[in-house]
Amino acid sequence: MSGGNTDSSAADRFDTTVAHPARRYNYWLGGKDHFAADRASGDAIEAALPSIRLMAVENRLFLGRAVEFLAKQGVRQFLDIGTGIPAPGNTHEVAQGIEPATRTVYVDNDPIVLTHSRALITSAPEGAIAYLDADLRSPEDILVHPDLHATLDFSQPIALLLVAVLHFIRDDEDPQGIIDKLVGALPSGSYVVASHATWEYQSPEAIAELTANNRDGRFVPRTGTRLGELLHDLEFVEPGLVSVSRWRPEGAPQPRPSIEDVSCNGVVARVP
Ligand SMILES: C[S@@+](CC[C@H](N)C(=O)[O-])C[C@H]1O[C@@H](n2cnc3c(N)ncnc32)[C@H](O)[C@@H]1O
């Protein structure tokens, strides 16, 4: 969930000697789809933030609880940008577990994510899934993609998932403009699910070490306040913008970890 490089030149995209966020996240989650560079980067970040694996797990659990909550509210369409390598509790699995006719579009800019997703993910016959090789930094390309419109009906509510991906968008890449374009395309009654790493609870020493590990500046932690500003004009669902570990934690493993160890905020918000 932190550091690394998401530049999308063809060479870099297939370069397994460069750590990639999806593979490093898979390493922290205990998956099998990572290379030496991902493990080295993951270990270096873990040395500065020993709870990083817990953070990854808690983020993943938040995603599952948020999708389940929305599916139970009757949301039947999900647009999951920054999908990650398939792992237990994928968006469509959670949602189709409640309503098999749910339709999901997955978007990622890491070719390994898409290869694994196409190989491993299948929809319930009543529903549908599409996978887009696209970049969150080009929301226009996502929004005009024919496979998006072949799968989702933009006259009906859609849940837009931006889970553990916004912190890979630098300030100079206009995260506000990106969010506004995507949210602006959603019909009223849609939802946004977002989570975002923060260093606001870390010591100056830990932040200095984490910053040293982020030489290319690709990773941008933001405070909960800043995440709230980016999601302006949306109606936050109870309990609002909180640590992902504290978002509707009923049913989550107990005891709940500390906000400091999790260092990731999350929110579900309704489009008015
Ligand atoms: C930490 S993983 C999160 C996966 C999943 N959303 C979750 O929370 O379990 C971040 C994902 O975002 C993807 N990603 C990073 N930058 C991206 C971008 N600019 N456009 C699309 N996907 C991106 C990475 O490839 C990776 O799969």
Side-chain angles (χ1 to χ4, degrees), residues 93-178:
E93 288 167 351
V94 175
Q96 291 190 341
I98 290 158
E99 172 48 64
T102 301
R103 309 171 78 80
T104 302
V105 173
Y106 288 117
V107 180
D108 208 285
N109 70 344
D110 184 335
I112 290 184
V113 168
L114 294 157
T115 304
H116 281 74
S117 297
R118 291 192 173 106
L120 297 175
I121 287 180
T122 50
S123 174
E126 301 90 337
I129 296 178
Y131 319 92
L132 309 190
D133 180 359
D135 198 304
L136 176 57
R137 293 170 291 185
S138 303
E140 304 84 358
D141 293 345
I142 297 173
L143 289 172
V144 300
H145 201 294
D147 292 350
L148 175 71
H149 293 279
T151 311
L152 302 185
D153 173 359
F154 273 71
S155 72
Q156 297 299 315
I158 294 170
L160 167 66
L161 270 59
L162 298 170
V163 180
V165 66
L166 290 171
H167 45 230
F168 297 113
I169 306 297
R170 295 191 312 248
D171 286 341
D172 65 352
E173 292 171 331
D174 192 16
Q176 187 69 75
I178 291 169

Side-chain angles (χ1 to χ4, degrees), residues 3 15 24 29 44 60 63 77 82-83 90 94 100 125-126 154 157 167 169 181 204 211 244 247 250 252 255 261:
D15 187 355
R24 186 176 46 222
L29 285 176
R60 190 76 189 167
L63 183 153
Q77 306 193 97
T83 303
N90 295 306
V94 175
E126 301 90 337
F154 273 71
H167 45 230
I169 306 297
K181 276 190 192 111
T211 305
V244 290
W247 195 87
E250 308 79 23
D261 280 348

